[in-house]
Amino acid sequence: MYEPTRPEPSRAATTYDQMLERVRYEGAYPSRERAGDAVRTVLSALGRQLTGDERVDLARSLPFEAALALTSAVPDAEQLTGWGFVKDLASRTGATPATTRWDTGAVLAAVAALAGPDLLARILQQLPDGYALLFGQAQLRQPQPAGA
C-alpha cells in the first residue's frame, strides 16, 4: 500500500529581510546591518535559554538565517530570569543594560509575531519570570495563597 509522504512544514512565510525590516522599525535602528547585529546577538542568547520542543518549534517558525542564530548556541545548564538574561547579554556584548534591553525588546517583538500566541505561551511557560515583558507581553503571575 502506498502512503504519500507528508510535506515538510514550510519555513516561515516571513523572509529574513522582512524580519530585519521589522526589527529595524521596532528598534528605530539607522541601518539593516544594525538590526541584523541585534537579531543575531539576541537570538543566540535566547538559544542558550530554550530547550526541547519549544526551541525546535521556534526555529521552524523563524526565517532560516534567524533559526541558525537561535540554534547556534548550546543551551545553558542554568536558566536566567528575564533581567538576568539582559544583564548577561550586556556583559557579553559590552553594551549597557539599557541598550541591551532595547535590542532585546525589538528582536523579541518580531519573534513573538512569527511564533504566534500558542508557541509564545509555551515558550514563556518554559522560561523563568521576566521574559514576557521582553517579548512585549504582560507578565501574568499565578495567584499566591494567602499568607504565602
Side-chain angles (χ1 to χ4, degrees):
M1 179 167 163
Y2 173 74
E3 187 172 322
T5 59
R6 296 178 60 177
E8 283 289 314
S10 62
R11 299 286 318 155
T14 300
T15 67
Y16 187 64
D17 287 338
Q18 290 169 325
M19 182 182 182
L20 287 182
E21 280 304 314
R22 180 171 182 148
V23 171
R24 181 178 177 193
Y25 175 79
E26 292 284 337
Y29 297 119
S31 69
R32 291 170 58 94
E33 291 76 25
R34 176 64 182 92
D37 290 344
V39 167
R40 286 185 295 278
T41 302
V42 172
L43 286 180
S44 179
L46 182 62
R48 290 191 295 274
Q49 299 301 306
L50 281 179
T51 60
D53 290 341
E54 289 74 20
R55 180 183 168 105
V56 172
D57 292 345
L58 181 57
R60 284 186 182 148
S61 71
L62 297 173
F64 181 74
E65 297 87 339
L68 283 177
L70 177 76
T71 58
S72 67
V74 175
D76 287 341
E78 183 180 330
Q79 285 185 317
L80 301 170
T81 64
W83 178 237
F85 175 84
V86 170
K87 290 191 310 186
D88 179 65
L89 188 53
S91 71
R92 288 174 187 262
T93 61
T96 66
T99 300
T100 303
R101 172 61 182 92
W102 183 269
D103 291 347
T104 301
V107 172
L108 294 185
V111 169
L114 290 169
D118 294 337
L119 177 54
L120 183 58
R122 288 178 30 223
I123 289 168
L124 291 175
Q125 279 184 319
Q126 184 186 112
L127 294 170
D129 283 345
Y131 282 88
L133 294 173
L134 297 176
F135 279 96
Q137 306 293 306
Q139 179 73 48
L140 302 176
R141 295 191 174 262
Q142 296 295 326
Q144 299 295 319

